[in-house]
Amino acid sequence: MGNVPNAVKHCLSYENLMGESFRLPSSFQEKKWPEVHKFPDFVKIVEVGPRDGLQNEKEMVPTEIKIQLIDMLSQTGLSVIEATSFVSSKWVVQMADHNEVLTGINKSPHVRYPVLTPNIQGFQAAVEAGAAEVAVFGSASETFSRKNINCSVEESMQRFEQVICAARQACIPVRGYVSCALGCPYEGQVHPAQVTKVAKRLHELGCYEVSLGDTTGMGTAGSMAAMLRAVMAEVPIHALAVHCHDTYGQALANILTALQMGVSVVDSSVAGLGGCPYAEGASGNVSTEDVVYMLHGLGIQTGVDLAKVIEAGDFICRALKRPTNSKVSQATSRVIDMQAFSVLAE
Amino acid sequence: QVSLSGLKPLPEKVKIVEVGPRDGLQNEKTIVPADVKIRLIDMLSEAGLPVIEATSFVSPKWVPQMADQEEVMRGIHRKPGVSYPVLTPNLKGYRAAVKAGAMEVAIFGAASELFSKRNINCSVEESLQRFEEVMSAAREEKVPVRGYVSCVLGCPYEGSVSPSRVAEVAQRLYSMGCYEVSLGDTVGMGTPGGMAAMLEAVMREVPVHALAVHCHDTYGQALANILVALQNGVSVVDASVAGLGGCPYAQGASGNVATEDVVYMLHGLSIHTGVDLPKLMDAGSYICRSLNRRTSSKVAQASCKL
């Protein structure tokens, strides 16, 4: 394949897909879903741009810009906006201003602002700064857990149990994330049973919702359906969300598949902020604008004003001095004849 | 609200119709010389694609990129089992195409009147009459003809397009003798619900095995739209290597869906395409270097085949 940068060499998963070795689990014979008769009437969008998005952007963003972004997003109709992360600034410099951001934003009464809390110290600092909801991040892959947070999956669950107990006492809801749900940059394919184990554990520990993340973006409609079928057998569907990356352009097709299986919570990032740390130059998070466009086109309500999200996206891209990753945004900013695109306003 | 109960099991095989060398290059600003086009087509043949749209026999006055149509047709190495259809907007183009060795041709209708008038300067009915001439000649010479319908999920001038109108035009092309009709989301504004509704209408008039989808990714919806098309029984998908061919209606925005990204999805669904993805990506890198542009394929970007 020629010279492959180090970041991509770590991607065993990418090698798997290049050959014909990638195959769906043998149980996935039918290649037919959906499991439900119609799409959900309403899909809740969880906006992760200010945290997951910015965390993976190279450019350092000043606090006031982060605050302005979140304030703009608060006016779009989004009901959940992940605001920041109470992780040590030693590890994630972009999130060093977590206190100022959380105390500085103009909190809308219709919006929740969860923050990441990897451990009990982070949780306590978050509560002190006024957090009313937190999130913890598990992994379906052992290697990813060790490389990303320096401990095994089991050790991380014990850490999260502490956070969840403390949160329960403080009546603070906790959202769980499972990384590598459709593949791992180190281990390659991830069996749906591994994802199920972690998702179930997080749910049983007390997470009200578990977001299943295609961390490398390598998942396809086939692996999404197989994984969801396994997880849904152990975790109620209303408690599941999907967090798709668009690194291989598969995100919207994967999200569509999840909707067809009955999932009604979708994570996304304004302007598709947040590149992929495992493939330099490649994209990461799926764009909120593109997701909302698809959902509205399907007649699914989101409560979100697409034009306002596009504006927020334009704002942050100008601040980051980078073009948007959202195709909807690219298309609408340059359209020559507006008449055809009046449907966007619907 | 879109019902999901009518969806079928996915096809086991999908035929990819590679439109990069024609539809792709036609919409690229940089003119590439004939030898580059020939090399691209040869690389695509090696990548296992069963159908590669090679060029267009339209007047070079309108489409300078396709001025070297004869040279390209004569220069390509034809792999056995692979077809190399060419566009023929009228009888004159058809004759020139056959003379240059074309063994399959394609004609383009539109589901929107305004689009037809602005794009080819005549009404939909007039265009169908022009095509009838091509069809007659092709029938006599036993040359297969593929039909295209533009604006199936929306028009840059008219806005929304009714599924029944699309069905009408598709049915005309099919009954005229087109062996296959490719339904094109010309501005990329379609979403899966619209795709399903449109296909439902068309499938009442044209059998699904004779249908193809030609999705644009201008709004990022292409793969989701293709997935729904597959779930409705479609098993022929048009795509363009490296996502060549921007959208002429939204400057700087993307157009054709990238073949690499489509193949990645299909292989991930265990659907057979016959395409060798690494070789396809090599063809994509080659043409992007020649055009001095970045690929629009996310799979290629992720694999650093920029």
Side-chain angles (χ1 to χ4, degrees), chain A residues 218 246 293 334 339 341, chain B residues 157 189 219 251 264 298:
Chain A
M218 63 190 264
D246 204 38
Y293 184 91
R334 288 146 177 170
Q339 203 215 322
F341 306 109
Chain B
Y157 311 107
M189 58 190 271
Y219 289 78
Q251 206 190 84
Y264 183 91
K298 288 216 162 164

Side-chain angles (χ1 to χ4, degrees), chain A residues 135-213:
Chain A
V136 295
F137 251 87
S139 164
S141 149
E142 272 300 335
T143 317
F144 187 84
S145 189
R146 283 181 204 278
K147 296 230 183 184
N148 216 39
I149 54 172
N150 234 358
C151 66
S152 70
V153 173
E154 182 53 40
E155 283 164 342
S156 73
M157 291 295 133
Q158 285 163 19
R159 257 180 233 178
F160 301 149
E161 191 165 3
Q162 284 192 311
V163 171
I164 295 171
C165 280
R168 193 180 299 122
Q169 282 192 21
C171 296
I172 288 179
V174 184
R175 186 185 210 233
Y177 280 92
V178 184
S179 310
C180 300
L182 297 180
C184 170
Y186 311 104
E187 289 180 13
Q189 283 193 54
V190 171
H191 199 280
Q194 289 167 250
V195 185
T196 303
K197 193 168 155 196
V198 179
K200 184 177 176 182
R201 185 79 181 274
L202 286 169
H203 186 246
E204 283 173 348
L205 281 174
C207 291
Y208 76 91
E209 194 169 272
V210 179
S211 175
L212 307 164

Side-chain angles (χ1 to χ4, degrees), chain B residues 9-49:
Chain B
L10 297 172
E12 295 198 350
K13 291 189 178 169
V14 161
K15 178 176 82 175
I16 306 257
V17 173
E18 172 58 52
V19 300
R22 201 280 309 166
D23 191 5
L25 289 182
Q26 182 167 313
N27 286 298
E28 289 287 330
K29 287 190 287 284
T30 312
I31 304 284
V32 293
D35 57 285
V36 170
K37 290 183 175 107
I38 288 165
R39 175 110 185 87
L40 171 66
I41 293 168
D42 288 350
M43 287 180 86
L44 292 168
S45 298
E46 284 311 299
L49 289 154

Side-chain angles (χ1 to χ4, degrees), chain A residues 29-222:
Chain A
Q29 292 300 337
E30 221 185 22
K31 283 187 286 185
K32 180 181 190 272
W33 61 90
E35 317 280 303
V36 297
H37 291 296
K38 67 181 190 78
F39 286 109
D41 291 324
F42 181 88
V43 162
K44 178 176 80 178
I45 304 260
V46 174
E47 171 58 50
V48 300
R51 201 283 306 167
D52 191 8
L54 290 183
Q55 182 168 315
N56 287 299
E57 290 287 329
K58 286 192 290 277
E59 187 90 13
M60 253 338 106
V61 177
T63 308
E64 59 270 20
I65 301 279
K66 288 183 179 115
I67 289 170
Q68 194 173 341
L69 171 65
I70 295 169
D71 287 349
M72 286 180 85
L73 291 168
S74 296
Q75 300 303 313
T76 61
L78 286 160
S79 60
V80 186
I81 301 167
E82 206 177 55
T84 186
S85 177
F86 282 78
V87 69
S88 161
S89 48
K90 210 172 46 181
W91 299 117
V92 186
V93 182
Q94 182 77 275
M95 300 285 127
D97 54 5
H98 38 233
N99 282 319
E100 291 93 324
V101 169
L102 198 55
T103 52
I105 56 177
N106 204 356
K107 293 189 191 177
S108 162
H110 310 290
V111 184
R112 287 155 39 205
Y113 302 91
V115 299
L116 235 68
T117 52
N119 49 40
I120 195 74
Q121 296 93 316
F123 173 77
Q124 280 155 359
V127 170
E128 222 179 285
E133 181 172 328
V134 300
V136 295
F137 251 87
S139 164
S141 149
E142 272 300 335
T143 317
F144 187 84
S145 189
R146 283 181 204 278
K147 296 230 183 184
N148 216 39
I149 54 172
N150 234 358
C151 66
S152 70
V153 173
E154 182 53 40
E155 283 164 342
S156 73
M157 291 295 133
Q158 285 163 19
R159 257 180 233 178
F160 301 149
E161 191 165 3
Q162 284 192 311
V163 171
I164 295 171
C165 280
R168 193 180 299 122
Q169 282 192 21
C171 296
I172 288 179
V174 184
R175 186 185 210 233
Y177 280 92
V178 184
S179 310
C180 300
L182 297 180
C184 170
Y186 311 104
E187 289 180 13
Q189 283 193 54
V190 171
H191 199 280
Q194 289 167 250
V195 185
T196 303
K197 193 168 155 196
V198 179
K200 184 177 176 182
R201 185 79 181 274
L202 286 169
H203 186 246
E204 283 173 348
L205 281 174
C207 291
Y208 76 91
E209 194 169 272
V210 179
S211 175
L212 307 164
D214 180 15
T215 306
T216 58
M218 63 190 264
T220 57

Side-chain angles (χ1 to χ4, degrees), chain B residues 216-238:
Chain B
H216 277 196
D217 205 38
T218 318
Y219 289 78
Q221 309 294 305
L223 286 194
N225 290 342
I226 289 168
L227 180 61
V228 160
L230 298 175
Q231 290 175 327
N232 278 277
V234 172
S235 62
V236 184
V237 176
D238 297 3

Side-chain angles (χ1 to χ4, degrees), chain B residues 166-271:
Chain B
V166 180
E168 222 183 286
V169 180
Q171 191 275 338
R172 282 289 290 276
L173 289 170
Y174 183 67
S175 58
M176 256 198 252
C178 291
Y179 76 91
E180 194 168 89
V181 178
S182 174
L183 306 164
D185 179 15
T186 306
V187 267
M189 58 190 271
T191 53
M195 171 64 84
M198 184 276 294
L199 283 175
E200 199 190 355
V202 176
M203 278 160 51
R204 281 188 224 121
E205 310 287 337
V206 181
V208 72
H209 67 80
L211 292 175
V213 289
H214 183 111
C215 297
H216 277 196
D217 205 38
T218 318
Y219 289 78
Q221 309 294 305
L223 286 194
N225 290 342
I226 289 168
L227 180 61
V228 160
L230 298 175
Q231 290 175 327
N232 278 277
V234 172
S235 62
V236 184
V237 176
D238 297 3
S240 177
V241 63
L244 291 183
C247 177
Y249 308 100
Q251 206 190 84
S254 66
N256 285 303
V257 69
T259 312
E260 298 91 318
D261 300 359
V262 174
V263 169
Y264 183 91
M265 179 173 78
L266 296 177
H267 288 185
L269 283 161
S270 295
I271 292 173

